[in-house]
Amino acid sequence: MAKRCGSMSNIQGHPCFGGNHHKNGRMHLAVAPRCNIKCGYCNRRHDCANESRPGVTSRLLTPGEAAAKVREVMASPAIGPLIKVVGIAGPGDPLHNEETFETFRLIGEEFPHLIKCLSTNGLLLPERMSLLEEIGLHSLTVTLNALDPRVGKRIYSHVCHDGAIHRGEAGAALLIANQLDGIRQAAKLGLTIKINTVLIPGVNDDEIPAISRKVRELGAFVMNIMPLIPQADFANLAPPTPERLDALRQENEKTIGQFKHCRQCRSDAVGLIGQDLPVAQPTQELLFTQ
Ligand code: SF4
Ligand code: SF4
Ligand code: SF4
């Protein structure tokens, strides 16, 4: 089994990894508009379901604007002292946007004490690992919804990689292989890893136990089973009931710790989880590119 990762002191400061989320806040920076895959539950207009409640990103920020926003928030006597983590979770896939790395570099220079956190679909993890090491990423979330490409092809309609579009089982197989390789490499690097799995009733329910075993074996720290928000290709599916979600989390708790207080925050959320600052900007359209 790979080394379990993450230093305990840092985890305790991170609200998404079991740190005290009544005291420790995070700040999301919406600097990553483009995505390289298409998940059936994503409607292409809103936040990445990697972390974020679909439908609400306020405004894309440039890296410079993101740094200015962090400066402003950190200078606020009410909010600044609460912020322990700066996260990039969208609205597209952070690893598919150079702005992500530029933003982390700027924040790291000015606020080296802030924990750097990122959420990704994992397609580019293996090839971006050295960059993540260079910027000093501490925690990583990978959204992993299937291990079997036959299930994956029902979730991902296409996967764009190296200038080619991969569809069906081939696309899903490529994505899954990179996700698993990326998680393995990230654990070796000592990153603290959370796995998000969107529970899509009738599609990937049966995969959940195998996913929890696999990611535990690879060195992930915690798993976050998230309920499907029906929209886009899955608009006609019923979301899982809270009872079903609870039962599944309990069943898999023995394999890997389950994160239970996720609120599926916006990708521009700032503050304590569940008590975010208000934002009032127009929604941006998500860009899908190769
Ligand atoms: Fe949407 Fe891309 Fe996120 Fe999937 S990985 S939910 S397609 S933004
Ligand atoms: Fe939490 Fe994910 Fe944001 Fe990191 S990127 S602060 S884990 S929601
Ligand atoms: Fe934490 Fe979930 Fe919100 Fe991310 S989306 S900050 S994991 S509560």
Side-chain angles (χ1 to χ4, degrees):
M1 184 183 295
K3 157 172 98 139
R4 304 300 304 288
C5 44
S7 84
M8 220 44 217
S9 60
N10 265 343
I11 292 167
Q12 280 161 6
H14 197 316
C16 306
F17 286 78
N20 185 341
H21 60 277
H22 300 294
K23 278 193 183 157
N24 299 317
R26 46 73 188 108
M27 176 170 190
H28 277 171
L29 299 170
V31 295
R34 294 168 292 275
C35 190
N36 45 7
I37 68 172
K38 174 66 177 73
C39 305
Y41 46 71
C42 182
N43 63 11
R44 292 176 167 246
R45 283 184 158 269
H46 304 305
D47 285 0
C48 180
N50 279 332
E51 287 290 351
S52 310
R53 179 164 57 89
V56 276
T57 285
S58 60
R59 190 170 76 81
L60 284 175
L61 300 174
T62 64
E65 288 170 338
K69 187 175 170 189
V70 174
R71 211 172 290 129
E72 187 188 323
V73 168
M74 295 309 287
S76 152
I79 310 289
L82 300 174
I83 301 295
K84 304 291 189 296
V85 179
V86 169
I88 300 183
D93 185 66
L95 296 184
H96 188 52
N97 292 267
E98 293 310 318
E99 293 88 341
T100 297
F101 302 96
E102 178 60 16
T103 302
F104 275 138
R105 278 188 204 103
L106 292 174
I107 307 294
E109 281 165 15
E110 208 169 333
F111 302 97
H113 64 287
L114 290 176
I115 294 171
K116 297 186 193 75
C117 185
L118 177 147
S119 169
T120 176
N121 62 38
L123 179 65
L124 296 178
L125 261 182
E127 62 200 77
R128 296 290 165 112
M129 198 59 66
S130 56
L131 265 177
L132 297 180
E133 185 175 17
E134 198 181 295
I135 57 163
L137 191 79
H138 165 266
S139 42
L140 174 75
T141 297
V142 183
T143 301
L144 181 62
N145 298 317
L147 290 181
D148 184 339
R150 289 169 300 181
V151 176
K153 79 172 183 191
R154 299 176 63 193
I155 302 173
Y156 310 109
S157 59
H158 68 253
V159 169
C160 302
H161 194 242
D162 280 345
I165 299 186
H166 307 265
R167 301 184 194 277
E169 260 181 64
L174 171 65
L175 175 64
I176 294 163
N178 281 13
Q179 289 170 326
L180 298 180
D181 186 26
I183 294 166
R184 185 182 298 113
Q185 288 190 36
K188 276 198 188 137
L189 208 58
L191 299 185
T192 306
I193 304 166
K194 170 158 67 70
I195 303 299
N196 280 355
T197 300
V198 180
L199 175 59
I200 310 167
V203 176
N204 69 346
D205 316 45
D206 295 342
E207 291 273 273
I208 308 282
I211 293 174
S212 67
R213 283 193 300 273
K214 186 69 184 171
V215 298
R216 158 83 205 197
E217 175 198 317
L218 293 175
F221 175 71
V222 70
M223 183 178 192
N224 179 17
I225 304 173
M226 306 166 83
L228 172 75
I229 299 174
Q231 59 169 5
D233 301 347
F234 295 137
N236 295 325
L237 289 187
T241 62
E243 294 74 24
R244 170 79 177 121
L245 195 60
D246 278 354
L248 212 48
R249 284 171 172 165
Q250 268 179 31
E251 282 165 27
N252 290 281
E253 179 101 64
K254 296 174 210 95
T255 311
I256 182 167
Q258 298 290 315
F259 183 75
K260 297 181 187 131
H261 65 263
C262 183
R263 305 286 185 90
Q264 295 175 272
C265 302
R266 303 159 53 115
S267 71
D268 56 358
V270 179
L272 296 177
I273 292 171
Q275 299 173 35
D276 291 311
L277 295 178
V279 274
Q281 303 284 350
T283 299
Q284 290 281 321
E285 186 150 351
L286 183 60
L287 307 170
F288 281 74
T289 66
Q290 295 183 44

